Amino acid sequence: MASTTPSTSTTPTSSSSSSGGNGRSRFVIGIVGKPSAGKSSFLNAITDASAKTGAFPFTTIAPNHGVAYYRLPCPCARFGLQAQCRPRYGSCQNGTRHVPVEILDVAGLVPGASAGLGLGNQFLDDLRTADALVHVVDVSGTTDAAGKATVGYDPVNDIDWLTSEVHAWVFNNLTKNWGGLVRRHTMLKASPIETLHKQLSGYGCPQSMVAKAFDACPKTLRDKPLETWDQETDVKDFVSVFLKTRFPTVVALNKIDLPDADTNIEKLDRKYGQSQELVLCSALAESFLRKLAKQGFIRYTEDSDDVVTHDDEATLKPMDEKTAARLEKVRDLVLFRYGTTGVHQVLARAVEVLGLVPVFPVKNIHNFTTGAAKAVFRDCLLVPPHTRVRAFASMVHPELDRNYQYAETVGGRMMGEADEITLDNNIISIKTSET
Ligand SMILES: Nc1nc2c(ncn2[C@@H]2O[C@H](COP(=O)(O)OP(=O)(O)O)[C@@H](O)[C@H]2O)c(=O)[nH]1
Ligand SMILES: [Mg+2]
């Protein structure tokens, strides 16, 4: 197979947006899937195309990027401060915080991409910036491997295809000069983690991530000297484990509104339910409901089965017959059967598989304000699991790290700079020599 690999340079070229401790807290969720699986529809359904600048902290949004909002309980509700809660980015609605998350449509990942088909290497750059993946699968079986309309296609193929495509990409890169890699490894008396990281750094991962993958390998593999690793078995196994660490994936079983979805869902659940995060959704239904809501025909609470129409509330615009019939179908086929369109659940699971912890930095730990404004809980950052207080300071602002004195949490309780941030101590005030 032709190798289409990332940078082979041995200098770390980490472009991962999340690499802990690099002063940023910015996560990118990459949307992947074969053509016509519904990636663009999903992106449209999940993102707020009308989001104005200032709704998110990202400076530039490229054409295939979007911003979605991850929802979580905001601490303002716990302290009865909903009225004063005005987030700098995103929003807070009745104690539910909407935190911006960046979404990227990795459209170029088509069958055969690792062998240079389709857009070839272009998608690799996109993929490298993603921290987690959402694999959009057409669960209705109405599109074939190339995305053409068909009937009775087995979506099992798609899940296996994506896994092997990404696997081939990493495997080819790792093994294309395996002999040289092993010689260098022996010569430098390096640890297997150091050697593997050197070759994998182009995938935007710190050494700690390679170490995590290595530790997750079976003992028999860890105990085996790298020089004796067999490419076809040992290296392939390692790559499989590495991919789980580097690209945690949520499989979005899309188009649940179509007839054959049911049978396929059952089948996929039997095959992957234990090993994969599977979430059911209908991107089209969500887009449709959001559009009707925007046009004033319905009131729709995202991620709920709560649809209010003119029949229930006279202030809403009446629908024409065709639209009403379509709404009835969406209610029957999606909301009634599955509870929600599932689209937001996909996003939530993607944030959760990454283990992200929401943290609320405030200037004043007693009234939760920042600066002169009366507004509380102005900021919320999603940080990697096991982030320590001092590393968090540098994520908020390099100045906070430079002039760091101490940190406290609710009640003025002192925190050590090596303390890990959890949901129990995630409201934090960093004191600096400047304040
Ligand atoms: N019935 C149904 N069709 C969908 C759904 N999501 C997407 N589609 C349709 O699938 C086709 C391909 O969608 P698109 O988003 O362009 O796929 P992409 O190539 O992966 O970006 C379009 O005709 C969409 O309207 C869904 O949830 N239900
Ligand atoms: Mg598309």
Side-chain angles (χ1 to χ4, degrees), residues 57-321:
F58 325 126
T59 43
T60 51
I61 292 292
N64 60 339
H65 286 237
V67 177
Y69 295 90
Y70 172 67
R71 293 183 230 151
L72 60 128
C74 185
C76 71
R78 189 163 23 118
F79 296 101
L81 294 168
Q82 290 97 321
Q84 284 106 281
C85 193
R86 277 189 296 284
R88 201 189 304 269
Y89 301 113
S91 62
C92 184
Q93 291 158 29
N94 304 320
T96 299
R97 186 85 172 208
H98 297 227
V99 182
V101 174
E102 201 173 339
I103 314 283
L104 171 66
D105 185 354
V106 188
L109 184 52
V110 298
S114 69
L117 289 181
L119 292 178
N121 298 355
Q122 278 180 28
F123 84 93
L124 300 176
D125 277 324
D126 278 352
L127 204 55
R128 250 177 280 158
T129 65
D131 296 290
L133 301 179
V134 166
H135 180 194
V136 178
V137 170
D138 177 349
V139 78
S140 71
T142 56
T143 46
D144 69 13
K148 290 211 188 62
T150 184
V151 281
Y153 178 83
D154 187 349
V156 161
N157 297 328
D158 294 343
I159 299 186
D160 292 343
W161 154 66
L162 189 93
T163 310
S164 58
E165 198 72 51
V166 179
H167 189 284
W169 169 46
V170 176
F171 176 78
N172 290 344
N173 178 241
L174 195 54
T175 53
K176 70 166 175 252
N177 184 16
W178 186 253
L181 179 141
V182 164
R183 271 194 302 281
R184 207 168 52 229
H185 174 74
T186 314
M187 201 172 68
L188 296 173
K189 297 192 172 67
S191 74
I193 291 167
E194 284 165 346
T195 299
L196 292 166
H197 175 245
K198 213 161 217 175
Q199 198 65 19
L200 292 170
S201 61
Y203 293 95
C205 60
Q207 186 163 312
S208 59
M209 191 179 273
V210 177
K212 197 175 155 203
F214 188 80
D215 288 344
C217 288
K219 190 172 183 320
T220 44
L221 186 59
R222 281 183 278 130
D223 286 347
K224 197 168 173 179
L226 197 70
E227 292 88 334
T228 64
W229 277 22
D230 176 60
Q231 292 188 35
E232 285 306 308
T233 55
D234 302 326
V235 179
K236 279 194 169 158
D237 287 350
F238 170 75
V239 169
S240 296
V241 178
F242 171 71
L243 290 179
K244 284 210 170 76
T245 313
R246 175 59 189 84
F247 296 112
T249 301
V250 173
V251 178
L253 301 179
N254 189 36
K255 309 195 189 181
I256 53 171
D257 52 305
L258 292 179
D260 282 346
D262 258 9
T263 338
N264 288 331
I265 289 166
E266 255 174 58
K267 193 165 154 190
L268 291 170
D269 191 44
R270 268 199 308 276
K271 183 156 181 187
Y272 300 101
Q274 301 296 318
S275 59
Q276 273 282 5
E277 198 67 51
L278 304 175
V279 184
L280 310 180
C281 71
S282 173
L284 199 63
E286 177 72 10
S287 302
F288 174 66
L289 293 170
R290 278 177 59 159
K291 198 168 119 211
L292 287 190
K294 204 168 246 168
Q295 293 170 341
F297 291 109
I298 61 169
R299 250 193 315 113
Y300 169 58
T301 314
E302 286 162 13
D303 216 15
S304 78
D305 59 356
D306 191 15
V307 177
V308 180
T309 65
H310 175 75
D311 294 343
D312 319 296
E313 210 178 282
T315 53
L316 291 161
K317 287 197 250 172
M319 273 171 275
D320 62 53
E321 233 167 77

